[in-house]
Amino acid sequence: MRRIFGKARKPMTDRHQAAAEAEHPAKPTTHALPADAADEARKDPLTAASEAAAEHVMHDAEADGREDINTLQAELDQAKAEAADLKDKWLRLNADFDNFRKRTARERLDLIQFAAENALKNVLPVLDDMERAIANNARTEELAVVKEGFHLIQSKLLHILGSQGVKPMSEVKGQPFDVDRHEAITKAPAPSPELKGRVLEVVENGYTLHDKVIRYAKVVVGE
């Protein structure tokens, strides 16, 4: 190879290759990034900040949710305990009421069956007097003694009934007929005009118990 001006001359093939490299310079070598890294590289700062804030909010929401669940569970446990306590009280109260109802029913039945016990005990001495009077009347022939015995027994019986609040109606004969106290069993001609509508005769006397009529007086009314 010849040297021109002291330098070696390049062959023609080398000159064409050099001219081609000068027209098309070589591109710089690049390395491909992973997909996630490439996505992060493409995000702008505003998007990255928004996503970070969203993640922070989600973490806070999860923490608040766990606290709410714990609070609700505690309230549920407390409500269950209160419900169990109320149920126990209700069962006890129901049992007490049932016992009270049974006891009251039994006492009421006893009251109905033995309500007249005291009154009957007070009447028994009158029965004793009647038995003694019958025995005495069999041995005596004096009518006055027999009459006196009957009057004593009647007075004693009226006194016993009066102590229980039972009183006979007084002065019924001659009073105006009162449907609230009298029961007319029949009517008869009045001896005088002023006796029309009044009681002419008392067949059976009436009685009151603490001013309440327990038996109407059976009377004959003038017309």
Side-chain angles (χ1 to χ4, degrees):
M1 181 182 296
R2 297 180 181 176
R3 292 180 178 270
I4 301 173
F5 301 108
K7 295 182 180 180
R9 298 183 67 181
K10 294 182 180 181
M12 292 300 292
T13 57
D14 292 339
R15 292 179 182 177
H16 289 296
Q17 183 176 0
E21 290 178 357
E23 291 179 359
H24 302 285
K27 295 181 180 179
T29 305
T30 58
H31 298 282
L33 295 175
D36 296 339
D39 294 338
E40 292 292 335
R42 287 194 298 268
K43 291 179 180 177
D44 58 358
L46 181 59
T47 304
S50 300
E51 292 182 355
E55 291 181 1
H56 182 69
V57 171
M58 290 179 64
H59 287 302
D60 291 344
E62 291 178 358
D64 293 340
R66 286 191 293 270
E67 292 179 359
D68 292 342
I69 291 174
N70 294 333
T71 302
L72 291 175
Q73 185 64 41
E75 293 178 354
L76 178 60
D77 295 339
Q78 182 180 0
K80 287 182 178 180
E82 291 178 355
D85 183 60
L86 291 176
K87 182 179 180 181
D88 181 70
K89 290 181 179 179
W90 179 81
L91 291 175
R92 294 177 182 273
L93 182 62
N94 190 41
D96 293 340
F97 177 75
D98 188 59
N99 294 333
F100 169 76
R101 181 179 58 80
K102 292 179 180 179
R103 183 174 64 254
T104 303
R106 183 170 59 253
E107 292 175 353
R108 182 180 180 183
L109 181 60
D110 293 341
L111 180 63
I112 294 174
Q113 290 180 342
F114 304 104
E117 180 179 359
N118 293 330
L120 293 176
K121 285 182 178 179
N122 294 329
V123 172
L124 291 179
V126 179
L127 181 60
D128 297 334
D129 291 344
M130 289 293 296
E131 292 177 351
R132 285 190 289 268
I134 292 174
N136 186 53
N137 292 341
R139 295 190 302 268
T140 185
E141 295 181 357
E142 297 182 7
L143 185 59
V145 175
V146 175
K147 291 182 179 180
E148 183 180 2
F150 277 112
H151 284 297
L152 291 175
I153 294 173
Q154 183 190 28
S155 298
K156 187 174 184 177
L157 180 59
L158 289 175
H159 176 73
I160 293 173
L161 293 176
S163 65
Q164 300 295 322
V166 179
K167 295 181 180 180
M169 296 180 183
S170 59
E171 300 179 358
V172 177
K173 187 175 182 178
Q175 292 182 355
F177 177 75
D178 187 356
V179 294
D180 293 330
R181 298 173 63 86
H182 308 147
E183 179 184 352
I185 59 175
T186 186
K187 292 182 179 181
S192 60
E194 59 269 12
L195 291 179
K196 289 184 178 180
R198 292 179 177 269
V199 177
L200 299 180
E201 185 179 354
V202 179
V203 180
E204 289 183 358
N205 199 10
Y207 290 87
T208 60
L209 175 62
H210 301 297
D211 296 331
K212 176 186 177 182
V213 176
I214 59 176
R215 193 179 81 172
Y216 294 96
K218 295 181 179 181
V219 298
V220 177
V221 181
E223 62 177 359

